[in-house]
Amino acid sequence: MLFIIGLGLGDERDITVRGLEAVKKCDKIYIEAYTSLLSFGLSTDGLSTLEKLYGRPITLADREMVEEKADQILSEARESDVAFLVVGDPFGATTHTDLVVRAKKLNIQVKVIFNASVMNAIGICGLQLYRYGETVSVPFFTETWRPDSFYGKIKKNRSLGLHTLCLLDIRVKEPTLESLCRGRKQYEPPRYMKINTAIEQLLEVEELRGESVYNEDTHCVGFARLGSEDQMILAGTMRQLLTVDFGAPLHCLVIVGETHPVEEEMLDFYKLTDGVPRQNDSETA
Amino acid sequence: MLFIIGLGLGDERDITVRGLEAVKKCDKIYIEAYTSLLSFGLSTDGLSTLEKLYGRPITLADREMVEEKADQILSEARESDVAFLVVGDPFGATTHTDLVVRAKKLNIQVKVIFNASVMNAIGICGLQLYRYGETVSVPFFTETWRPDSFYGKIKKNRSLGLHTLCLLDIRVKEPTLESLCRGRKQYEPPRYMKINTAIEQLLEVEELRGESVYNEDTHCVGFARLGSEDQMILAGTMRQLLTVDFGAPLHCLVIVGETHPVEEEMLDFYKLTDGVPRQNDSETA
């Protein structure tokens, strides 16, 4: 049996009781390493926090390993109970559809244990989840690669009065240019896009495309470390948020569409006043 | 302190470890009774399962009570730790914004503990969450009240190739017509819209409006009891799903937009073949 278990957003305490029971009875435990594992006490150096909690070793599975060793993971899942742990929800921002499809084709039973994802946790800012349009991704621009497909999608959302969730780029285990040339694997340090960079890139594309989709006065909400003890949620214009230091990853950004009074009332609590938020933004237990 | 704690979707084991720790140290525990509490072992008769787990009495709070007794709940939260439990995620389909806004205005600290919501758990069917448009609600039609605002929204989503999540009506603690006349409170038995009814109503509106937004051959995915042991997920045309008995509540429905091959591949596992699903749909632990 293959268990795909969501870990939620904060730290090791955000797994569900159902998820914890399942992982404790599994023979082998993998954890996906595509997103930030910092708050789970996980790094390539040590897996201490989670391993202590589960009383068992955990294998860190990056994208490469899941692709290369899927056969191994699946053959283990055929013989015994295997847990594949995923930050957030198994089918949230990052998907593990491929592993699930392969398992199902082999008639290996798959059980999914849900958890919170950034896709629903952004509801905390007061903007109604059902009033969001299509979600967009903002990739790191390079000298030569500046894809802007998000622009057209934001335009459509805004023309319908809808809010837009922008997921910001995560680069984990990217091979260095040098290593690609030499054929020896070396990796860039992980990079997580900050809200400031995302807004800079958004404004650059608006400048180029000039279709007046948004501008420096467009209202947004910035989220950092959603679900953690020190999560930060700030509402303000792009100009205001551009200069805020949101600190450590992960960050995401919402571009606010048309708002209802009840949405405004809630958003007010997160607004910057003279550059300072109205109240402490640490909201989780 | 006011804790707003998501219970997740299945049963009492779907609370997070963080949530369980918080609720155990709270002096007073309320649970919202706007949605189905059946799988949490909760009814007006007894709160046994959760009360046993928490070792403490729980007050069932319907919408009326939260509106009428918000002052009481908030004054308790000022003096001590109060938990307000919510099925799914606190800011998922049902929102509790009003209570949070009132607490914040009174400078009462609010802590939110996230969990899975139907808004992200539908990702299990393989349709990518970022490719959904605006969510719509399908209300129970009556003789004289047949609101169809969902139609225009589905039209916009489909014109953009996006999937649409349809949330189906829940009627809990609706006063009877008789009781409204007599001024004495009596309530209708709770009603939860089934997928069949939703599809009937959708097709009726298409018939009336005639803008070819969808028809009997439009592909959909029906979900029942998402997150429970006996959850049911079936993909098929509106015509096919119209005759399926999805069993006990809660139900929801997704109208499939344009699909990518990877989405199709996953969806195939949930498709009806000769009226029978390809495999067992019980997918959670």
Side-chain angles (χ1 to χ4, degrees):
Chain A
M1 174 99 72
L2 178 64
F3 290 87
I4 316 264
I5 301 171
L7 292 180
L9 295 169
D11 60 30
E12 74 284 355
R13 293 187 297 144
D14 287 288
I15 195 169
T16 63
V17 172
R18 184 193 295 267
L20 189 58
E21 283 172 8
V23 78
K24 281 190 168 168
K25 74 178 186 193
C26 278
D27 304 293
K28 190 83 190 267
I29 307 168
Y30 294 91
I31 184 164
E32 62 103 17
Y34 311 169
T35 49
S36 176
L37 295 171
L38 296 173
S39 59
F40 290 90
L42 288 163
S43 68
T44 41
D45 303 333
L47 303 170
S48 52
T49 316
L50 283 187
E51 290 187 325
K52 246 179 254 167
L53 183 64
Y54 305 152
R56 201 154 335 177
I58 300 173
T59 307
L60 206 60
D62 55 42
R63 206 175 292 263
E64 211 168 72
M65 177 180 171
V66 173
E67 277 159 22
E68 284 171 11
K69 298 200 181 158
D71 288 339
Q72 185 198 315
I73 297 173
L74 292 174
S75 82
E76 288 165 358
R78 186 195 291 284
E79 306 297 328
S80 60
D81 287 336
V82 173
F84 190 83
L85 309 179
V86 177
V87 176
D89 183 66
F91 298 95
T94 310
T95 66
H96 306 279
T97 309
D98 188 58
L99 191 66
V100 173
V101 166
R102 292 180 65 166
K104 282 176 179 261
K105 281 187 179 161
L106 295 167
N107 283 318
I108 294 165
Q109 256 205 296
V110 178
K111 291 195 190 252
V112 173
I113 298 177
F114 298 122
N115 210 317
S117 138
V118 64
M119 308 286 283
N120 69 287
I122 50 168
I124 195 176
C125 77
L127 298 173
Q128 306 285 337
L129 288 180
Y130 60 84
R131 301 203 55 256
Y132 279 77
E134 190 172 1
T135 300
V136 305
S137 293
V138 182
F140 276 117
F141 283 179
T142 68
E143 288 284 309
T144 53
W145 193 69
R146 305 175 98 74
D148 62 1
S149 66
F150 54 76
Y151 188 75
K153 291 174 185 172
I154 298 170
K155 184 177 182 177
K156 283 171 193 160
N157 288 343
R158 290 183 65 77
S159 73
L160 298 171
L162 301 175
H163 315 308
T164 306
L165 168 61
C166 305
L167 298 173
L168 311 189
D169 205 357
I170 294 170
R171 295 288 171 107
V172 179
K173 250 194 155 182
E174 295 284 317
T176 59
L177 189 60
E178 200 189 356
S179 84
L180 284 175
C181 298
R182 292 192 187 172
R184 199 180 39 155
K185 282 187 180 161
Q186 272 185 327
Y187 300 98
E188 302 279 3
R191 290 172 73 202
Y192 306 96
M193 187 183 284
K194 287 176 180 285
I195 287 164
N196 322 70
T197 309
I199 294 176
E200 273 168 25
Q201 292 192 182
L202 284 165
L203 290 171
E204 180 189 313
V205 172
E206 173 60 55
E207 179 100 351
L208 277 166
R209 301 274 297 260
E211 298 169 35
S212 300
V213 173
Y214 48 77
N215 58 45
E216 288 197 328
D217 294 316
T218 301
H219 283 274
C220 291
V221 185
F223 300 84
R225 301 171 303 286
L226 205 47
S228 302
E229 301 284 347
D230 65 342
Q231 74 181 4
M232 188 169 166
I233 304 167
L234 281 183
T237 62
M238 287 198 182
R239 183 186 294 111
Q240 287 176 317
L241 298 188
L242 198 52
T243 59
V244 173
D245 180 4
F246 279 88
L250 299 176
H251 293 185
C252 69
L253 180 72
V254 167
I255 304 175
V256 181
E258 287 164 20
T259 48
H260 292 176
V262 64
E263 291 181 310
E264 276 300 328
E265 207 176 15
M266 185 80 165
L267 218 51
D268 273 347
F269 290 105
Y270 296 109
K271 279 202 179 134
L272 283 159
T273 314
D274 305 322
V276 180
R278 260 179 70 177
Q279 65 166 65
N280 193 322
D281 290 276
S282 175
E283 293 242 330
T284 50
Chain B
M1 173 101 69
L2 177 65
F3 289 87
I4 315 266
I5 302 171
L7 292 181
L9 293 169
D11 60 30
E12 75 284 355
R13 294 186 297 143
D14 287 288
I15 195 169
T16 63
V17 173
R18 185 192 296 267
L20 189 58
E21 284 172 7
V23 79
K24 281 190 170 168
K25 73 177 187 196
C26 278
D27 303 292
K28 190 84 191 264
I29 308 168
Y30 293 91
I31 184 165
E32 63 104 18
Y34 312 170
T35 50
S36 176
L37 296 171
L38 295 173
S39 59
F40 289 89
L42 287 164
S43 67
T44 40
D45 303 332
L47 303 169
S48 52
T49 316
L50 284 187
E51 290 188 325
K52 245 179 254 168
L53 183 64
Y54 305 152
R56 201 152 337 174
I58 300 173
T59 307
L60 205 61
D62 54 40
R63 204 176 292 265
E64 211 169 70
M65 177 180 170
V66 173
E67 277 160 22
E68 284 172 8
K69 299 201 180 158
D71 287 340
Q72 184 198 316
I73 297 172
L74 293 173
S75 81
E76 288 165 358
R78 184 195 292 284
E79 306 296 328
S80 59
D81 287 336
V82 173
F84 190 82
L85 308 180
V86 177
V87 176
D89 183 66
F91 298 95
T94 309
T95 65
H96 305 281
T97 310
D98 188 59
L99 192 66
V100 174
V101 166
R102 292 180 65 166
K104 283 177 179 258
K105 281 187 180 163
L106 294 168
N107 283 317
I108 294 166
Q109 255 205 298
V110 178
K111 291 195 189 252
V112 172
I113 298 176
F114 298 122
N115 209 319
S117 137
V118 65
M119 308 286 283
N120 69 289
I122 51 169
I124 194 176
C125 77
L127 298 174
Q128 307 284 339
L129 289 180
Y130 60 82
R131 300 203 56 256
Y132 279 77
E134 188 171 2
T135 299
V136 305
S137 293
V138 182
F140 275 118
F141 283 179
T142 67
E143 288 283 309
T144 52
W145 195 68
R146 304 174 98 73
D148 63 0
S149 66
F150 54 76
Y151 189 74
K153 291 174 185 172
I154 298 170
K155 184 176 183 177
K156 283 171 191 159
N157 288 343
R158 289 183 67 75
S159 73
L160 299 170
L162 301 174
H163 315 308
T164 306
L165 168 61
C166 305
L167 298 174
L168 310 189
D169 205 356
I170 293 170
R171 293 289 170 107
V172 179
K173 249 195 155 179
E174 294 284 317
T176 60
L177 189 60
E178 200 190 356
S179 84
L180 283 176
C181 299
R182 293 194 189 170
R184 199 179 39 159
K185 282 187 180 161
Q186 272 185 327
Y187 300 97
E188 303 277 3
R191 290 172 73 203
Y192 305 97
M193 187 183 284
K194 287 176 180 289
I195 287 164
N196 322 70
T197 308
I199 294 176
E200 273 168 25
Q201 293 192 181
L202 285 166
L203 290 172
E204 179 188 314
V205 172
E206 174 60 55
E207 179 100 353
L208 277 167
R209 301 275 297 260
E211 298 168 35
S212 299
V213 172
Y214 48 78
N215 59 44
E216 287 197 327
D217 294 317
T218 300
H219 283 275
C220 293
V221 186
F223 301 84
R225 300 170 304 285
L226 205 48
S228 302
E229 302 285 349
D230 66 341
Q231 75 181 4
M232 187 170 169
I233 304 167
L234 281 184
T237 62
M238 286 197 182
R239 184 187 293 110
Q240 287 176 317
L241 298 188
L242 199 51
T243 60
V244 173
D245 180 5
F246 280 88
L250 299 176
H251 293 186
C252 70
L253 180 73
V254 167
I255 304 175
V256 181
E258 287 164 20
T259 48
H260 293 175
V262 65
E263 291 180 311
E264 276 299 329
E265 208 175 13
M266 185 79 166
L267 218 49
D268 272 348
F269 290 106
Y270 297 109
K271 279 201 179 134
L272 283 160
T273 315
D274 304 323
V276 179
R278 260 179 70 178
Q279 65 166 59
N280 192 320
D281 290 275
S282 175
E283 293 240 331
T284 51

